[in-house]
Amino acid sequence: MELSRRVSLISGLRYKGGQGMLNWALHRITGLGILLFVGTHVVVSFFGQQFGDDLAFAINGVYESWQFQIFVYFSVLFHAFNGTRLALMDLFPALIRYQVELIWLQWLMFVPVYALPVYIMIQSALSGV
Amino acid sequence: MRSHRAARPSGSFEYGMWLLTRISGLALMLFGAISLGMGFILGGREYLTMPAMIRWMFFPNPNHVINSDIPDVSLGWSNAVWQIYSILMIFLASVHGFNGLRMVVEDYTDRPLLITFLRGLTIVLLLGGVIVAIYVVLAS
């Protein structure tokens, strides 16, 4: 039987996939976010570098700000950690049984690696360095 | 664990992209680690703020730290080794990213003709992005 792809948003939100579903959704959202950010950033840098375009400098100014960087850093770091877990589970299929434990381990490793630079960024931004 | 092996048809396009996604993803993390280490060697610890350090880790381009007070940003980066390194990073990241876009798009599309058209559009975007990015690297 063919899998139906026409699932409404409501029934999609009601589906209780737990941790795995949350990570799947976050992996997609952060991945598409990174693609959109890197794609526009490359094109905008090209226009800024070649033509000195004002709009290009304005957009890159937003991209360089520490507030925006907190989101970019979250996206890239989460995508990297989750991708590592997926690659490990593909390499060693026996790990799939411990998926939930691996996701908790992933968050346990993610939080300090994410929080420490973000703490330093916010602290130095607020103290005006 | 036979069921996991059976789910992967070997030699097909999908298997190739599946493998490339894993390899490029892990390789990009290695590139990030090398960039971070090189950033420290080039004086990042003393001259760069945390945002500039992270920018440099994501992509080791002199323009990424041009607004910070590091003395000479082009020193050590404007040679063939790091330009090839950057271009390789761009190629892997673009293929990884646009293949991900293709997979998400094809999850929500079931008309074969539309899928063919969107795949063509993705290849055009991929080539355009790679060419522009390589130009930015070589010109900076």
Side-chain angles (χ1 to χ4, degrees):
Chain A
M1 205 181 88
E2 202 176 330
L3 203 64
S4 173
R5 292 173 180 200
R6 304 198 187 284
V7 180
S8 73
L9 183 66
I10 300 296
S11 61
L13 286 176
R14 229 181 255 144
Y15 181 74
K16 289 192 172 61
Q19 284 272 33
M21 180 189 173
L22 176 73
N23 277 36
W24 171 84
L26 270 177
H27 198 76
R28 290 210 150 180
I29 294 166
T30 53
L32 291 176
I34 294 164
L35 186 67
L36 182 69
F37 162 69
V38 174
T40 51
H41 184 49
V42 165
V43 172
V44 155
S45 301
F46 173 76
F47 279 102
Q49 196 180 56
Q50 295 304 311
F51 308 113
D53 191 54
D54 283 338
L55 181 64
F57 289 130
I59 295 174
N60 265 347
V62 174
Y63 284 173
E64 275 182 17
S65 67
W66 61 273
Q67 294 95 334
F68 193 83
Q69 194 139 21
I70 287 173
F71 287 101
V72 176
Y73 188 49
F74 176 87
S75 300
V76 175
L77 203 68
F78 177 84
H79 204 82
F81 271 80
N82 200 48
T84 313
R85 182 178 60 85
L86 294 177
L88 276 176
M89 292 202 308
D90 284 335
L91 271 176
F92 309 105
L95 284 175
I96 293 172
R97 281 181 62 193
Y98 306 101
Q99 204 213 159
V100 179
E101 286 82 357
L102 280 176
I103 291 173
W104 281 114
L105 183 67
Q106 182 195 325
W107 283 115
L108 204 68
M109 290 161 74
F110 173 85
V111 167
V113 178
Y114 177 66
L116 193 62
V118 166
Y119 172 74
I120 295 172
M121 273 198 276
I122 293 174
Q123 198 193 33
S124 62
L126 292 183
S127 61
V129 177
Chain B
M1 290 294 144
R2 214 176 67 89
S3 58
H4 296 298
R5 298 242 178 273
R8 290 178 222 153
S10 62
S12 70
F13 171 71
E14 289 296 340
Y15 175 67
M17 292 319 285
W18 177 90
L19 198 62
L20 189 66
T21 300
R22 264 72 186 170
I23 292 172
S24 60
L26 295 172
L28 281 168
M29 281 190 284
L30 186 66
F31 276 115
I34 295 172
S35 305
L36 185 65
M38 194 61 188
F40 279 130
I41 290 169
L42 287 176
R45 202 168 64 84
E46 287 138 43
Y47 294 106
L48 293 183
T49 58
M50 187 62 85
M53 199 70 213
I54 292 175
R55 282 205 298 277
W56 219 358
M57 180 177 81
F58 288 161
F59 194 66
N61 189 291
N63 283 338
H64 263 164
V65 286
I66 209 128
N67 294 333
S68 60
D69 44 6
I70 194 163
D72 186 5
V73 282
S74 55
L75 193 81
W77 290 104
S78 293
N79 58 51
V81 173
W82 291 104
Q83 281 173 349
I84 292 169
Y85 174 96
S86 302
I87 290 168
L88 198 62
M89 209 170 167
I90 284 167
F91 178 77
L92 288 175
S94 312
V95 172
H96 187 107
F98 279 104
N99 181 57
L101 178 66
R102 180 188 68 85
M103 287 179 71
V104 174
V105 164
E106 286 176 14
D107 270 357
Y108 297 96
T109 321
D110 43 16
R111 289 182 211 138
L113 203 65
L114 188 63
I115 287 180
T116 311
F117 170 73
L118 290 172
R119 277 190 183 183
L121 195 66
T122 310
I123 290 173
V124 170
L125 283 174
L126 168 67
L127 287 177
V130 168
I131 290 168
V132 169
I134 288 174
Y135 188 85
V136 169
V137 166
L138 294 181
S140 60

